[in-house]
Amino acid sequence: MHIVFVLFDNVTQLDFTGPVQFLSRLPGAQVHVVTKDGAAVTTDCGFSILPRSSFADCPQADILCVPGGHGVRDAIADTALVDFVRQQAKGADYITSVCTGAFILGAAGYLQGKKATCHWAYTQLLPLFGATHVPARVVHDGNLITAGGVTSGIDFALNLIAKIASEDVARTIQLALEYDPAPPFGGGSLKSSSDETVHNLRARVYDKAAAEMKMAIQHII
């Protein structure tokens, strides 16, 4: 089973490293980490990731996964990257994204008329690609699976493992990787966070980031 992760500069590394850690444990999994030219890409954490393949030598994906990050703003305007995603998606059993990686699927034409999610700060932009936002960490619509922000990529991976292999396999992998979330603080979602915390975070980071993402999307549609 070929699992292809498409990377680009300024990717959010946990969007990728979370699900790949789990999906790589699927029986028969072959993971392919690809970039346009096979060169390393930067992450939002100050280090780089060296891929396994370039677009030219990547096999057909059974599972296609596109992570997000601030680099999505440039990625959706990268014709080679969007065309690669579009062509891979045609033959994939599952087309998936984490966080704002959904917008790359949107640029490739795979959100139109679909239910989807992404990071909470950008969900209002999903209708620009013809999608309907569903407020959940993982949203299934046919063979399209989208995950919310960052850590939800692990939930998405376990959901997909259960769907492909079985719930028992998913539970075993979950135990092997000791995924038993017990955050030290409440407030990891909009529902559990104070209005003040949400307001301050939006003002400091996401109002500007979402506006820039909207401009980038409007430029290509």
Side-chain angles (χ1 to χ4, degrees):
M1 179 177 294
H2 295 288
I3 306 173
V4 174
F5 285 83
V6 184
L7 303 189
F8 45 87
D9 277 326
N10 206 12
V11 67
T12 294
Q13 62 84 21
L14 189 54
D15 285 6
F16 155 65
T17 54
V20 76
Q21 187 68 60
F22 284 76
L23 290 173
S24 66
R25 302 281 181 111
L26 259 174
Q30 294 185 44
V31 174
H32 304 271
V33 181
V34 304
T35 62
K36 181 164 57 177
D37 54 6
V41 293
T42 59
T43 71
D44 60 1
C45 293
F47 61 85
S48 297
I49 296 174
L50 184 65
R52 178 178 179 179
S53 308
S54 68
F55 292 172
D57 57 16
C58 179
Q60 171 59 52
D62 297 300
I63 300 170
L64 177 66
C65 186
V66 185
H70 291 304
V72 167
R73 295 195 298 265
D74 293 325
I76 60 175
D78 186 329
T79 302
L81 186 146
V82 173
D83 284 349
F84 175 77
V85 169
R86 183 180 295 115
Q87 292 304 313
Q88 283 282 331
K90 287 179 180 179
D93 293 328
Y94 297 97
I95 305 163
T96 74
S97 65
V98 180
C99 197
T100 53
F103 299 138
I104 296 177
L105 296 183
Y110 284 91
L111 291 188
Q112 186 65 44
K114 295 290 188 175
K115 297 175 182 177
T117 193
C118 64
H119 188 285
W120 60 263
Y122 302 89
T123 55
Q124 72 277 10
L125 303 180
L126 287 168
L128 294 176
F129 287 115
T132 300
H133 172 236
V134 176
R137 282 176 69 80
V138 182
V139 175
H140 295 248
D141 190 337
N143 72 335
L144 176 73
I145 307 174
T146 53
V150 197
T151 59
S152 61
I154 295 175
D155 295 22
F156 135 69
L158 285 167
N159 270 266
L160 186 54
I161 290 167
K163 191 176 183 69
I164 292 172
S166 73
E167 186 174 316
D168 283 344
V169 171
R171 286 181 179 277
T172 300
I173 294 172
Q174 180 173 297
L175 175 60
L177 296 177
E178 202 171 352
Y179 181 56
D180 186 22
F185 312 106
S189 69
L190 288 180
K191 290 181 179 179
S192 59
S193 299
S194 70
D195 291 344
E196 180 182 10
T197 299
V198 173
H199 172 79
N200 289 342
L201 185 55
R202 284 189 187 275
R204 188 170 70 251
V205 179
Y206 289 116
D207 284 345
K208 181 175 183 291
E212 290 174 346
M213 186 72 78
K214 183 178 181 179
M215 289 179 61
I217 293 170
Q218 289 176 328
H219 185 72
I220 65 165
I221 58 177

